[in-house]
Amino acid sequence: MPPGPFISQDPKVVALLDGKSFPVLFDVTKVEKKDLFTGTYMPSTDLTGGYRILSYLDPSEPKHARPKQLLLFLLKSRRDHVIPEFQASYSELFETLEKEVAEKGKSSFQTANDQAGFNFLCRAFFGSNPPDTKLGDDGPSLISKWVLFQLGPVLSLGLPTYVEELVIRTFPLPPFLVKKDYRRLYDFFYHSSGFVQDEAEKLGISREEVCHNLLFATCFNTFGGMKIFFPNMLKWISRAGAKLHTDLAQEIRSAIRSNGGKLTMAAMEQMPLMTSVVYEGLRIEPPVPSQYGRAKKDLLIESHDAVYQVKAGEMLYGYQPFATKDPKIFENPEEFVPDRFMGDDGGRLLKHVLWSNGPETEDPTTANKQCAGKDFVVLVSRLFVVELFRRYDSFEIEVGKSPLGAAVTVTSLKRASF
């Protein structure tokens, strides 16, 4: 696996190629997750204030439990703000798209989504609106530059291969080049997250350390996931065609009407097709396709067809789409099937949806490495589909390539007619 020897000490991995072998990566009694969040290398801690962030800590390490407990506290304490802040931020997004499509005939979804996503997360988690602070509208561009310095060794930027190999996959980019950018982000989070810092001190975590963790969880994990997944979901829903658009619009609007015209959690539980569409999006193109784990001991790992011996210390690598498009688990695995996860049969397939570094049927705890925001990400993805078809009967897009996810350009938005 990339990158090269001056960034990664050992690029060799044992690849897990089906849905039966892949879940060994979730078993923390068998694999260690220390310092391998990004792959066979770890970016410099100079990019995260000198701290090893939660994503790089193994559950066996004493420092793992407290920051994860703190993230779960944050998600729980701010849950009532999620729906209203999402609606406010994404109303702004849709108004921007409509205006640009009317004026120019097209609009970049990425640009509008990045701004709306970042503003939403800061408003929902911390009650702080970035445009009203010194950060202004610069958050998404600062994050993109900072993330490049961490993920550059495994990205393709569309440059000639020899240029990419030399510039981003042979030597690490020097962190000092983004020091001022990172400081601006850090100052915003430090001034916005006082109530979480207070809770952190009760747990014995310094205000500075928790702030670096909050920045990473918000900007890298959550914002990064929305930046990749929302355009991908638009792409798949668009390709599925007009019938799905009509079915979603009818289901979503009917459920909202039957709940007094207000979008609530109860209303969303009456939208099984919408929920299935989100799970199918997470299955067919998971936002983080690669997972790693180092064998803690000699292991025997089963695939559908055989049993393989892995030695202690070897790096295991799973390319998730191999697991979530395994034809021995999913029928028509390469097709986007909107109702795949509806009904009892669909419910039984959820354990094979693995995007969160764990099965969809399990929950994040301080003892595992499953994404702390697993349920939050599913919720906001459902909210995105709801708000889209609450407002529009259908839409048309053009899809291009991007280093992260799909580059989506909106070319038509047909306002709700019923």
Side-chain angles (χ1 to χ4, degrees), residues 73-250:
F73 157 79
L74 171 63
L75 289 162
K76 184 177 180 181
S77 65
R78 297 290 296 180
R79 61 189 173 193
D80 293 339
H81 298 271
V82 173
I83 292 178
E85 293 296 358
F86 190 93
Q87 290 180 309
S89 297
Y90 276 78
S91 289
E92 295 168 11
L93 173 142
F94 291 127
E95 287 165 8
T96 298
L97 294 180
E98 286 179 26
K99 183 179 178 182
E100 291 192 355
V101 168
E103 292 176 352
K104 306 174 187 175
K106 61 182 181 179
S107 177
S108 167
F109 177 76
Q110 256 78 358
T111 304
N113 181 55
D114 285 0
Q115 197 65 61
F118 183 68
N119 290 348
F120 156 66
L121 292 172
C122 295
R123 293 167 181 173
F125 287 165
F126 309 110
S128 183
N129 187 34
D132 296 337
T133 71
K134 290 180 180 178
L135 193 60
D137 292 331
D138 294 340
S141 60
L142 298 177
I143 294 167
S144 295
K145 189 175 174 183
W146 170 66
V147 168
L148 173 63
F149 276 62
Q150 298 170 76
L151 292 184
V154 293
L155 292 180
S156 178
L157 304 180
L159 301 172
T161 302
Y162 67 90
V163 175
E164 290 192 343
E165 288 297 326
L166 181 63
V167 175
I168 61 175
R169 281 198 276 279
T170 302
F171 301 98
L173 296 170
F176 76 85
L177 293 176
V178 289
K179 187 174 182 179
K180 287 183 179 178
D181 297 332
Y182 184 76
R183 188 71 204 187
R184 287 188 64 195
L185 289 169
Y186 177 85
D187 287 345
F188 169 79
F189 280 90
Y190 191 85
H191 293 302
S192 302
S193 61
F195 74 101
V196 194
Q197 295 173 38
D198 293 342
E199 184 69 17
E201 287 190 320
K202 297 176 189 175
L203 296 173
I205 310 174
S206 73
R207 302 179 83 87
E208 181 180 349
E209 182 173 1
V210 73
C211 189
H212 289 294
N213 270 284
L214 291 173
L215 191 165
F216 195 93
T218 305
C219 298
F220 194 112
N221 300 131
T222 318
F223 172 78
M226 293 169 67
K227 179 182 178 71
I228 295 170
F229 186 57
F230 283 12
N232 285 348
M233 200 155 49
L234 265 187
K235 175 185 69 177
W236 289 107
I237 293 172
S238 173
R239 289 175 178 174
K243 184 180 184 305
L244 175 61
H245 297 184
T246 301
D247 290 346
L248 283 169
Q250 289 175 338

Side-chain angles (χ1 to χ4, degrees), residues 24 44 46 82 92 98 101-102 114 132 164 178 206 247 274 277 281 283 290 340 345 350 355 368 372 382 392:
V24 72
S44 169
D46 289 345
V82 173
E92 295 168 11
E98 286 179 26
V101 168
D114 285 0
D132 296 337
E164 290 192 343
V178 289
S206 73
D247 290 346
M274 176 276 293
V277 163
R283 177 199 73 85
S290 298
R340 188 186 296 276
D345 290 342
L350 280 177
W355 70 273
N368 65 25
R382 293 169 73 191
Y392 305 108

